[in-house]
């Protein structure tokens, strides 16, 4: 398929509509991989009370294009939109605090750190306004030393704050008060959204003039509270369906004359009529005026032709800006989807050539930004785009943040990756970058561009998770119904049936039980018993493990204090994930639990997996040092199964090693495993660390560990994990006697 054919198909919109502005996360691809959300019953939209024609209040009713679009999108998504319009700074604050769900606004990278954005659905510009007779300025740089009115916390306010040389700002609560500041002489100029400012000036019959050409053209999108990613996913899907179904186009047509005021230039028409009148008069007066009039008409006609040519060129430029990314020259998402869907509609049957949508991500782009800055990252993106343009029979799009989409014939993805990698290396080694991808095939995986895009993004996310270079979409990549139920339960916060169990640890030197590990169990009223190996990894990957960790810390401190008050001291260890260490205030959570139950630092220990330690060593070290100052020490769980265990012992304040059950359970029948266990015990003794062997299931293994000098043992030979009451009775029964292994060995 040739690019020319792709670009001809489909209607060309007259104005800039629908652009994609991606996000975050970092974590960044899982929100697009599946529909893991529930439809909200209602969504509270915010907006500016004086921002026509996009949004305004009239007789206590919210009006405007944004208001109607929000209602349409909510209706398409099966929900109901409610609106609260007010002063812009208050609206922004309400969105940050979660009092509002969604607010339409300009997209910017600064705002993308605070909110989750949908695709852009409109494109607006800014202009400089002043009273008639003011000194002419042509750009923001000319405003240095002048007073400038600007709406507080608006996109223009953000841009002006970032300038090296700043004008004197007069902050206004909305666009109307900013205009009034210039009109009343409190400010010399104002920088405002052109569409809203022109509408208010016309409504109030104020004579302010535009200075220079429009600038700061940006996409307008829905911004969602950053703590509501499921709402953002629902909103994005509803907006996409609104656009794909034609409802957006229908709504836009209804508002088009307001959103795109065509200031018809009647000057030339009036001149033409005057010229024609002059022709009649001159013809009546005499032939002597004929040649002069003919020349005048020719000049005016040429002016009209020039004006029409300039207008056509401006419209072509606007269409190009609407459809193509200015940095890379590649198609924008909405235009890409339109072109692909046009191809599918015209090639339904029979399918002669399978097609492929391939999503590519430059995975080290964030590293390039941190190391070399944004300018180098933009150079890498631009260089990669150049090579995508050269692909035959393909259409490429840039989705932002180093993510690209390619629509092409079904091909060998590995060969394509090799070709692109070699091209990047040959063009400029300094601009080389690593990339991963995922593919979905038409018609095998879907017959619409939107569905294939989602499947390709799912495949790419799976490639990243499994550390693969590329993967093709499979239905097995979609989450199970149980996974979706678990995520939904924890997002709603209505978690029932979580409870702790405790497994004792035996001191092999004294025969006493001096510590234990708290383990989480879940018996859900509807789903039944859910094993920890099912829900724990899912919650860790989804950033929801914090609820479990906080509850287990609370239970561990409470039970440890209860035992200590009964003269049965027992330190209880809690498993900590990478998310707990890096993304939460772990020290604060532990401190609050100790205060709540009058506990001491020795009541609790932390067990860290090597994976959690490796995720962000510098942040982990900072948190562990903070905890060690409180007297809370850490243990490395599953020691020996990772790649950097020895380095952790010197980098972090670690006081205990738990030898992984993989080596302990098989040490009798496997001499190599026994050697690993013995060597680990000797190394820990030299470093002054306590050793704990987990997975001890028979008396012979217990005796060998004691002979080798292991400090503590944990396993079924001592006791299985027990509920609280059984565990307390276990501790009471054996507090005053040595542990009799034959009595408690599980047969």
């Amino acid at each position: 398929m040739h690019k020319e054919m792709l670009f001809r198909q489909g209607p060309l919109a007259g104005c800039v509509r629908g652009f994609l502005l991606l996000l975050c996360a970092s974590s960044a691809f899982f929100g697009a991989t599946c529909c893991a959300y529930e439809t909200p019953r209602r969504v509270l939209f915010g907006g500016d009370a004086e921002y026509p024609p996009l949004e305004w209040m009239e007789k206590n009713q919210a009006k405007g294009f944004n208001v109607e679009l929000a209602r349409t999108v909510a209706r398409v998504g099966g929900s109901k939109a409610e609106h609260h319009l007010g002063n812009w700074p208050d609206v922004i604050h309400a969105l940050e605090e979660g009092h509002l769900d969604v607010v339409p606004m300009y997209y910017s990278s600064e705002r993308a750190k605070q909110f989750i954005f949908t695709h852009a659905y409109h494109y607006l510009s800014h202009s400089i306004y002043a009273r008639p007779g003011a000194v002419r300025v042509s750009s923001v740089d000319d405003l240095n030393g002048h007073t400038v009115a600007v709406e507080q916390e608006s996109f223009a306010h953000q841009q002006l704050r970032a300038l090296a040389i700043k004008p004197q700002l007069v902050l206004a609560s909305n666009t109307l008060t900013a205009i009034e500041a210039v009109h009343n002489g409190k400010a010399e100029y104002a920088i405002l959204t052109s569409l809203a400012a022109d509408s208010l000036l016309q409504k109030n019959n104020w004579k302010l003039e535009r200075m220079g050409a429009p600038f700061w053209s940006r996409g307008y999108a829905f911004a969602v509270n950053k703590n509501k990613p499921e709402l953002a996913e629902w909103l994005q899907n509803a907006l996409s369906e609104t656009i794909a179904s034609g409802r957006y186009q229908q709504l836009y047509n209804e508002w088009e004359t307001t959103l795109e005021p065509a200031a018809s230039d009647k000057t030339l028409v009036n001149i033409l009529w005057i010229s024609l009148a002059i022709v009649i008069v001159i013809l009546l007066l005499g032939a002597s005026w004929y040649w002069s009039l003919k020349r005048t008409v020719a000049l005016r006609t040429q002016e009209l032709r020039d004006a029409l040519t300039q207008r056509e060129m401006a419209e072509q430029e606007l269409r190009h800006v609407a459809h193509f990314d200015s940095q890379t020259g590649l198609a924008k998402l909405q235009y890409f989807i339109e072109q692909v869907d046009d191809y599918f509609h015209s090639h339904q049957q029979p399918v002669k050539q399978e097609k492929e949508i391939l999503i590519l991500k430059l995975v080290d782009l964030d590293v390039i930004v941190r190391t070399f800055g944004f300018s180098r990252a933009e150079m890498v993106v631009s260089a990669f785009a150049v090579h995508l343009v050269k692909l035959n029979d393909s259409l490429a799009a840039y989705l932002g943040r180093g993510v690209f989409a390619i629509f092409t014939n079904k091909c060998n993805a590995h060969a394509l990756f090799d070709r692109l990698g070699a091209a990047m290396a040959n063009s400029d080694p300094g601009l080389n970058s690593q990339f991963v991808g995922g593919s979905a095939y038409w018609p095998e995986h879907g017959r619409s561009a939107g569905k294939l895009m989602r499947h390709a993004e799912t495949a790419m996310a799976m490639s990243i998770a499994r550390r693969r270079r590329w993967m093709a979409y499979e239905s097995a990549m979609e989450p199970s119904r149980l996974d979706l139920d678990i995520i939904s339960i924890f997002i709603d916060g209505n978690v029932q049936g979580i409870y702790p169990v405790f497994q004792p640890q035996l001191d092999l030197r004294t025969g006493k039980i001096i510590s234990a590990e708290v383990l989480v169990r879940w018996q859900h009223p509807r789903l039944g018993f859910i094993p920890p190996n099912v829900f724990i990894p899912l919650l860790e990957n989804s950033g929801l493990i914090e609820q479990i960790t906080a509850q287990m810390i609370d239970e561990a401190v409470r039970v440890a204090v209860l035992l200590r008050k009964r003269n049965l001291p027992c330190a209880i260890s809690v498993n900590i994930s990478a998310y707990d260490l890096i993304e939460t205030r772990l020290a604060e959570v532990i401190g609050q639990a100790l205060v709540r139950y009058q506990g001491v630092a020795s009541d609790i220990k932390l067990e860290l997996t090597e994976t959690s330690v490796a995720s962000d060593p510098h942040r982990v070290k900072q948190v562990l040092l903070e905890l060690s100052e409180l007297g809370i020490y850490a243990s490395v769980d599953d020691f020996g199964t990772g790649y950097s265990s020895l380095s952790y012992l010197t980098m972090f304040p670690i006081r205990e090693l738990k030898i992984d059950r993989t080596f302990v359970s098989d040490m009798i029948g496997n001499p190599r495993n026994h050697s690993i266990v013995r060597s680990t015990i000797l190394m820990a003794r030299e470093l002054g660390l306590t050793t704990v062997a987990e997975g001890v299931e028979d008396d012979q293994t217990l005796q060998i560990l004691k002979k080798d000098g292991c400090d503590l043992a944990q396993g079924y030979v001592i006791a299985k994990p027990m509920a609280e009451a059984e565990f307390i009775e276990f501790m009471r029964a054996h507090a005053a006697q040595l542990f009799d292994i034959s009595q408690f060995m599980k047969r």
Side-chain angles (χ1 to χ4, degrees), residues 95-114:
L95 181 61
E96 292 174 341
E97 295 298 318
H99 303 311
L100 291 174
D101 297 320
V102 183
V103 174
M105 65 178 71
Y106 282 103
Y107 173 86
S108 70
S109 56
E110 181 179 351
R111 284 175 169 171
K113 298 175 183 177
Q114 299 175 281

Side-chain angles (χ1 to χ4, degrees), residues 199-251:
S199 178
L200 289 170
L201 288 173
Q202 183 179 5
K203 177 181 177 182
N204 292 280
N205 197 25
W206 287 338
K207 304 300 182 183
L208 266 60
E209 297 179 350
R210 272 198 206 182
M211 299 283 177
F215 56 94
W216 288 347
S217 295
R218 287 293 187 278
Y220 217 78
F222 288 117
V224 184
N225 181 282
K226 64 181 179 180
N227 295 320
K228 302 178 181 180
E230 70 285 357
L231 176 62
E233 183 182 2
W234 168 84
L235 184 60
Q236 177 57 70
N237 287 341
L239 176 59
S240 298
E241 185 176 347
T242 301
I243 294 172
S245 65
R247 292 183 178 90
Y248 175 89
Q249 185 65 47
Q250 182 180 359
L251 180 63

Side-chain angles (χ1 to χ4, degrees), residues 690-707:
T690 301
T691 51
V692 181
E694 58 179 343
V696 184
E697 299 185 358
D698 58 77
D699 179 54
Q700 186 178 0
T701 301
L702 194 69
Q703 297 301 329
I704 293 174
L705 288 169
K706 180 177 181 180
K707 180 180 178 181

Side-chain angles (χ1 to χ4, degrees), residues 178-285:
I179 294 175
E180 289 177 339
V182 179
H183 182 73
N184 297 331
K186 295 180 181 179
E188 298 171 81
Y189 302 91
I191 298 181
L192 303 167
T193 298
S194 308
L195 182 62
D198 291 344
S199 178
L200 289 170
L201 288 173
Q202 183 179 5
K203 177 181 177 182
N204 292 280
N205 197 25
W206 287 338
K207 304 300 182 183
L208 266 60
E209 297 179 350
R210 272 198 206 182
M211 299 283 177
F215 56 94
W216 288 347
S217 295
R218 287 293 187 278
Y220 217 78
F222 288 117
V224 184
N225 181 282
K226 64 181 179 180
N227 295 320
K228 302 178 181 180
E230 70 285 357
L231 176 62
E233 183 182 2
W234 168 84
L235 184 60
Q236 177 57 70
N237 287 341
L239 176 59
S240 298
E241 185 176 347
T242 301
I243 294 172
S245 65
R247 292 183 178 90
Y248 175 89
Q249 185 65 47
Q250 182 180 359
L251 180 63
Y252 194 95
N253 291 340
E254 296 172 2
W255 285 82
E256 185 171 7
T257 56
T258 307
L259 296 174
E260 301 177 18
S264 57
D265 187 3
K266 298 182 180 179
T267 303
L268 295 177
V269 177
N270 293 334
I271 291 174
L272 183 58
W273 281 106
I274 293 172
S275 299
L276 292 175
I278 293 173
V279 169
I280 297 173
V281 173
I282 291 177
L283 288 174
L284 294 174
L285 291 176

Side-chain angles (χ1 to χ4, degrees), residues 316-337:
Q316 290 177 1
E317 183 176 353
L318 283 175
R319 284 194 292 268
H320 189 273
V321 170
H323 295 154
F324 297 95
D325 177 68
S326 59
Q327 177 189 351
T328 62
L330 301 180
K332 292 182 177 179
L333 177 68
Q334 187 58 39
Y335 185 64
F336 177 82
I337 289 178

